[in-house]
Amino acid sequence: MSFTNDLKVGIRQFGRNPGSMLLAIMAFSLGLGLVGLMLTLVFGVIKGHPKDIDFDNIFVLQWDPSTEHLWKSGAQLGFIRPKNYREIEERQEVFENLSFMRPNNTISIVVEKYAERFTGAHVSDSLFKTLGLKPHIGSFFEEGDDRPDAAKKAVISYKLWKNQFDSRESIIGRSFNMNGIPTTLIGVAPEGVDFPSRHDVWINETANHLELSRGDGDALFVLATLKEDQTIGSAVPAMNTIAKTMADAYPETNTGYIAFEIETLGENFMGDEFPRMVYLLLACSLMVLLIACTNVANLTLSRATTRVKELAIRASLGGKRGRLVMQMLVEGFAIAFFGGLGGLIIAIWTSRAIWASVLASAQANPPIWMNMDVDMKTIGYLALITLFASIVASIVPAIRASKTDVNEILKDNSRGASSLKMGVFSKLLVLAQLSVSCALLIATSAMVSGAKDAAVFEPPYDPSQIMTARFDLPENYYPGDQRSEGLERLQTLMENNPALEGVGFTSALDMIFNWNSRWQVRGREAPEGEELRARNEIVSDNYFDLLDIPILYGRGFEKMDQGENAQEVCVINELLAKRLWPDNIQDALGQQIRDQYSDTFPWITIIGIVPDTKMAGPGANKSDEELGGVYRPMSGDPQDSVTVFAKTNGNPTQQANHIRSILNDEDQSFALYRVKTVETAVEESQFGVLFFRNLFGMFGIAAFTLASIGIYGVMDFSIRQRFQEFSIRQALGAGPATIFRHIFKMSSWQIALGLVVGSALGYGILGIMADNQMAPPSTNPMIYLLPIALIIAVSSLAIFAPARYVINTNLSDTLRGD
């Protein structure tokens, strides 16, 4: 009954001052909405798993990256090479299931006349058993299907089966042309499975791994499940013993590969950078909510001041302190309840809008089970946070207001000081709002500046006038040693087409993404614990001429660099030449270097030097940009996946149609994809940077808006509490300038301390973000100036307005009001 009465009193208080109550509800809604948004990212993306695959009990096996400095041959990102895998498979005794896959391959399927391109993987026969899946229809691979003499088989996704084959069960057992090879379709994966991400086809791996050199072959992504009597603690030492045994047995290829890293599929799938950024943003959203709480606390405090005599009389008439505290808490709960509903609406709306932008992006490629839905778990956590926030915002003012000694109140009121003696608390409110808003504005400023820097990409050609597209050579199109001949034929056909101008090939995806390799200079030993890293790109012999990249010293690639007896050559950029031969970069000509990715890679001779060409791509961090890079001729290292580029008038579709026609005339298994201009590719590559920039911007604006309102409210409250004092000072002869100086001096230390704490907090946030490759913040010290200037401006206005009011009010008006 008492709670009902308290609730009625609280509702009546809403009616007495609806404007301030509405402002408090809006503050809570904004803070809780941002928290809810980040919870959808945590539960739907970071913690989300497909319902059919146990991400916590399937493990990923890789070489331990902490031993990379010991590796003699190429790192392959820590993945295991085929011949090593086969030996590990024979030696290990801790895993119940061990399987591998080569993900993110292009699979061209001829459904009717022409090939259509899908993302797929080549897998071992036990992959689906390791994942614990059962087919929707048909079957999965059987034991022995990953051996060299096995027939080609494929499993397709439920989505592909439904969209491409109209859910016909009759396709099971049929043969389709996949990558130029007849392949039997044996099954359909369960609905919702696209493992690892957006994959539609899984083909059994039939390469003869035992015929490969131990240092060769594509890297394998290895998955495993533990035996019942094993744990991670027992598996790691057992597997490390195998690694050390192999390192001793095969020193030429396995030196340094002495330890494994075993982590859950969930940990491996998300990596470190994205979760770290999301949790940082969750912390920032809680900081925004803290500002909202300080606003509500200030509102409760100012309202308690106006009701202090009422509360004193209630107490003198027998009202218990606990009841008075509860009555004020009920008001806070009411504000939080409506704020929570508003926050839930904001979270639903923003999460849907953001996820729609993710799905629309060509760069983001989330698996189909990921989402940002506001589910019951999100609502539950949001409700708990709302309850906690309401207590934080109301408890201190409520407890202080309940100290209702009538004599003390009358004496305190006569002095004109704060009736509730809340000076310290109100100062802490100001300090909290200044610090948090300053920190978030600094993070926002750094992200906006970093995004601007990342978007700068100035290659030596006009990116809006170069079309880029990708195609993969079918397995039976000039296979093996004939690959180079096949690529030369395709280039000749395209060059001879009068509708095409300036056609060339490169290994770089979209002409902006190449890879980072470990290199060795002949006759020069790298210092212990150090390695020579540089970018690596394989290009057609006309690459530099077509893109108007001048040869500074030496020469570019020529026809004589082709053929079996041709010398292995390369061209390096000026940045790498300065790193290795700082005294005279021309000394690089004639020197030999070797890619340490494989022990079978030959020494190649440097024949030319070109200007710096932004090989690290847009958005690269400073360390990557300073590496420099190496260009190698495609005639000497033909690629299975090739980027073709041509000059365009800005619309790449016309050139793409001509190229597609040439490819299909050669082999119907060809599929052309990723058709765009380089300019468009650069814009798409910024998705991750823009995603986090926009989120930080949202938090920064929300924090600044709430803090501006809150700081004004707290300053106004603090100054008005000393109304009588300032009026008496004026009556005794103090001029307006003196009052202004006194008020500003009284508040300036709070502003200064808030800026110091906020700058330190902002510096800490930037430190957490510093190594993030997805969204690197700017390191320019100037990013601190704008947030600090904004905070000083808002704080000055927050002081000026109530100070002006105090100066313009005379003593008689003040006493009459009291």
Side-chain angles (χ1 to χ4, degrees), residues 161-469:
W161 176 61
K162 180 180 179 180
N163 296 341
Q164 198 71 39
F165 299 102
D166 300 321
S167 303
R168 297 195 307 270
E169 296 187 12
S170 59
I171 66 168
I172 300 300
R174 283 184 54 188
S175 178
F176 292 88
N177 182 332
M178 297 190 185
N179 285 352
I181 301 294
T183 305
T184 302
L185 184 57
I186 62 171
V188 176
E191 185 176 3
V193 171
D194 62 349
F195 186 82
S197 178
R198 301 285 174 172
H199 279 48
D200 286 308
V201 187
W202 299 267
I203 297 177
N204 58 323
E205 174 70 273
T206 57
N208 192 338
H209 292 165
L210 298 180
E211 288 186 352
L212 294 171
S213 164
R214 192 170 293 274
D216 285 337
D218 292 326
L220 303 179
F221 185 60
V222 179
L223 300 165
T225 56
L226 290 169
K227 292 182 177 179
E228 290 186 0
D229 61 342
Q230 297 289 333
T231 64
I232 288 291
S234 62
V236 171
M239 295 305 297
N240 286 349
T241 299
I242 294 175
K244 291 173 183 175
T245 301
M246 294 172 63
D248 292 337
Y250 314 109
E252 286 299 315
T253 57
N254 284 52
T255 295
Y257 291 85
I258 56 175
F260 286 103
E261 179 183 71
I262 304 176
E263 58 184 352
T264 66
L265 182 56
E267 293 170 335
N268 180 271
F269 195 85
M270 291 308 305
D272 296 326
E273 289 190 351
F274 184 78
R276 184 165 63 244
M277 289 294 289
V278 170
Y279 286 126
L280 178 61
L281 283 166
L282 177 60
C284 291
S285 68
L286 292 172
M287 292 165 69
V288 174
L289 180 59
L290 176 63
I291 296 178
C293 288
T294 60
N295 283 355
V296 176
N298 178 58
L299 172 66
T300 306
L301 177 62
S302 60
R303 287 174 52 74
T305 303
T306 63
R307 296 176 60 194
V308 66
K309 291 183 179 180
E310 172 199 338
L311 296 173
I313 293 172
R314 285 175 181 269
S316 67
L317 294 176
K320 295 181 179 180
R321 185 183 181 193
R323 180 72 184 278
L324 297 176
V325 170
M326 179 56 67
Q327 187 181 107
M328 297 195 70
L329 283 178
V330 167
E331 293 182 29
F333 291 153
I335 293 173
F337 173 77
F338 291 108
L341 290 179
L344 183 61
I345 293 171
I346 291 174
I348 293 173
W349 180 76
T350 54
S351 62
R352 288 180 178 177
I354 289 174
W355 195 244
S357 71
V358 170
L359 296 179
S361 168
Q363 189 70 12
N365 195 30
I368 58 178
W369 49 264
M370 274 189 182
N371 62 74
M372 285 181 64
D373 296 338
V374 179
D375 56 12
M376 292 307 298
K377 181 183 287 188
T378 302
I379 293 174
Y381 272 86
L382 194 59
L384 289 174
I385 293 171
T386 301
L387 177 62
F388 180 75
S390 67
I391 295 174
V392 169
S394 304
I395 190 67
V396 175
I399 292 175
R400 297 292 295 177
S402 66
K403 293 181 178 181
T404 51
D405 187 299
V406 176
N407 293 326
E408 282 295 317
I409 288 173
L410 292 176
K411 285 190 296 181
D412 192 37
N413 195 41
S414 67
R415 291 193 307 267
S418 171
S419 302
L420 299 179
K421 298 181 180 179
M422 296 293 286
V424 174
F425 183 67
S426 64
K427 289 179 174 63
L428 289 176
L429 292 182
V430 173
L431 184 62
Q433 292 184 321
L434 285 170
S435 302
V436 172
S437 58
C438 181
L440 290 179
L441 283 174
I442 288 172
T444 300
S445 178
M447 286 300 300
V448 171
S449 181
K452 183 179 179 181
D453 294 340
V456 175
F457 182 65
E458 299 175 345
Y461 54 86
D462 185 350
S464 67
Q465 300 299 311
I466 299 294
M467 179 224 76
T468 175

Side-chain angles (χ1 to χ4, degrees), residues 541 555-563 566-567 569 607 633 635-636:
D541 55 12
R555 65 176 179 86
F557 302 128
E558 300 174 356
K559 291 293 183 182
M560 66 179 182
D561 298 320
Q562 302 177 9
Q567 182 186 25
V569 296
I607 60 170
S635 57

Side-chain angles (χ1 to χ4, degrees), residues 368-631:
I368 58 178
W369 49 264
M370 274 189 182
N371 62 74
M372 285 181 64
D373 296 338
V374 179
D375 56 12
M376 292 307 298
K377 181 183 287 188
T378 302
I379 293 174
Y381 272 86
L382 194 59
L384 289 174
I385 293 171
T386 301
L387 177 62
F388 180 75
S390 67
I391 295 174
V392 169
S394 304
I395 190 67
V396 175
I399 292 175
R400 297 292 295 177
S402 66
K403 293 181 178 181
T404 51
D405 187 299
V406 176
N407 293 326
E408 282 295 317
I409 288 173
L410 292 176
K411 285 190 296 181
D412 192 37
N413 195 41
S414 67
R415 291 193 307 267
S418 171
S419 302
L420 299 179
K421 298 181 180 179
M422 296 293 286
V424 174
F425 183 67
S426 64
K427 289 179 174 63
L428 289 176
L429 292 182
V430 173
L431 184 62
Q433 292 184 321
L434 285 170
S435 302
V436 172
S437 58
C438 181
L440 290 179
L441 283 174
I442 288 172
T444 300
S445 178
M447 286 300 300
V448 171
S449 181
K452 183 179 179 181
D453 294 340
V456 175
F457 182 65
E458 299 175 345
Y461 54 86
D462 185 350
S464 67
Q465 300 299 311
I466 299 294
M467 179 224 76
T468 175
R470 193 83 169 169
F471 67 85
D472 303 279
L473 275 70
E475 292 184 30
N476 62 348
Y477 183 81
Y478 289 87
D481 295 338
Q482 303 176 48
R483 275 289 197 242
S484 179
E485 183 182 346
L487 285 172
E488 185 179 354
R489 172 176 171 78
L490 291 175
Q491 184 176 345
T492 300
L493 290 172
M494 294 177 189
E495 288 177 340
N496 292 338
N497 188 311
L500 295 172
E501 180 185 359
V503 179
F505 295 157
T506 175
S507 60
L509 185 67
D510 298 337
M511 291 192 71
I512 55 178
F513 298 112
N514 44 51
W515 66 91
N516 189 336
S517 293
R518 295 171 61 191
W519 296 89
Q520 179 181 1
V521 180
R522 194 161 201 167
R524 185 188 299 185
E525 291 293 330
E528 186 175 353
E530 296 183 14
E531 56 187 13
L532 172 60
R533 290 277 184 180
R535 311 303 297 184
N536 194 342
E537 186 171 348
I538 302 168
V539 301
S540 56
D541 55 12
N542 59 352
Y543 180 87
F544 301 117
D545 291 335
L546 293 178
L547 299 178
D548 299 322
I549 299 175
I551 305 296
L552 298 180
Y553 304 102
R555 65 176 179 86
F557 302 128
E558 300 174 356
K559 291 293 183 182
M560 66 179 182
D561 298 320
Q562 302 177 9
E564 294 182 4
N565 299 321
Q567 182 186 25
E568 298 285 351
V569 296
C570 70
V571 171
I572 65 174
N573 66 10
E574 191 175 12
L575 193 58
L576 181 59
K578 288 179 179 178
R579 280 182 63 198
L580 298 179
W581 292 275
D583 295 333
N584 184 1
I585 63 174
Q586 294 190 56
D587 289 343
L589 299 178
Q591 300 285 344
Q592 290 189 317
I593 58 176
R594 184 170 73 88
D595 185 353
Q596 292 185 284
Y597 177 82
S598 170
D599 59 312
T600 62
F601 281 4
W603 291 98
I604 53 179
T605 302
I606 299 172
I607 60 170
I609 302 173
V610 296
D612 298 336
T613 47
K614 297 291 182 182
M615 290 185 72
N621 59 33
K622 186 176 181 180
S623 60
D624 270 348
E625 289 181 345
E626 293 175 349
L627 292 178
V630 179
Y631 294 96

